Amino acid sequence: LRLGILASGGGTNLQAIIDRCADGSLPAEIAVVISNNPDAGALERARKAGIPARCIDHRPFTSREDYDRALVAALRESGVELVVLAGFMRLLTEVLLDAFPGRIMNIHPALLPAFPGLHAQKKALEYGVRFAGCTVHFVDNGVDTGPIILQAVVPVLQDDTEETLSRRILQQEHRIYPRAIELFAQGRLRIEGRRVLIDPPLD
Ligand code: GRF
């Protein structure tokens, strides 16, 4: 399975996927890493791993749609079969969604539908929840609203800060994102309306 990773930041989720591909536990290969941010640590991580890395800066583009057309062209050029958003800080338009129907995944650092959008870990902490976590989902035309594939739960501790909670969630992100991609690579995911069925079901 050929993956196209879109990232804007440090790329620790990318690194988890790189590591799992390298140790053979994830039957996939990263065909390209694309960032909108020239300074993204994710690009550096890709280069260190010998993976094609491209910066497609969004600023020169006059519309979101034009930007997505450039992304689609780059992804198609690399023969990408699954688009993996890993800390990609741009909203997708139907240009990208229509080019990869049912083939775009995202990870969000909260138990969706709770706390969509930015600063999810901080929102959870301030709300006073006892549990937080992360969600891997297929991307649809909403913000963090697509069909949920996997989730992981972590406790929120009395003395947690945004940093300590984010770190605890990130550890789980690095576990469930590669797992979700593996399930897709094995053809075990089926979208039925809002639900994602895993066949055979996880034990
Ligand atoms: C993670 O918190 C992820 O949940 C969110 O953005 C962050 C990406 O971190 N989408 P990294 O760039 O993968 O380290």
Side-chain angles (χ1 to χ4, degrees), residues 20-91:
R20 287 282 307 277
C21 290
D23 73 21
S25 61
L26 175 54
E29 72 171 291
I30 303 174
V32 66
V33 173
I34 300 173
S35 181
N36 62 305
N37 169 12
D39 306 324
L43 290 175
E44 196 44 44
R45 290 177 188 272
R47 290 183 186 118
K48 281 207 180 85
I51 295 168
R54 295 183 60 175
C55 173
I56 304 180
D57 190 334
H58 61 275
R59 289 170 295 193
F61 293 86
T62 51
S63 77
R64 287 184 180 281
E65 288 72 15
D66 281 347
Y67 181 63
D68 277 10
R69 272 187 273 278
L71 288 181
V72 169
L75 291 163
R76 285 205 171 121
E77 207 176 292
S78 298
V80 165
E81 296 166 288
L82 178 68
V83 181
V84 173
L85 308 184
F88 188 60
M89 302 315 278
R90 302 287 302 164
L91 290 180

Side-chain angles (χ1 to χ4, degrees), residues 108-129:
H108 182 73
L111 295 171
L112 294 173
F115 313 122
L118 296 174
H119 312 302
Q121 304 94 331
K122 184 166 186 276
K123 289 175 187 167
L125 197 58
E126 290 172 350
Y127 194 96
V129 295

Side-chain angles (χ1 to χ4, degrees), residues 9-14 86-87 107-109 121 170 173:
T12 65
N13 274 289
L14 165 66
I107 189 157
H108 182 73
Q121 304 94 331
L170 205 52
E173 293 180 39

Side-chain angles (χ1 to χ4, degrees), residues 10 25-26 30 37 82 130 139 157 162 168 174 190 197:
S25 61
L26 175 54
I30 303 174
N37 169 12
L82 178 68
R130 293 298 184 220
V139 176
L157 308 179
E162 184 182 357
R168 192 172 309 120
H174 300 161
R190 197 172 69 246
L197 301 182

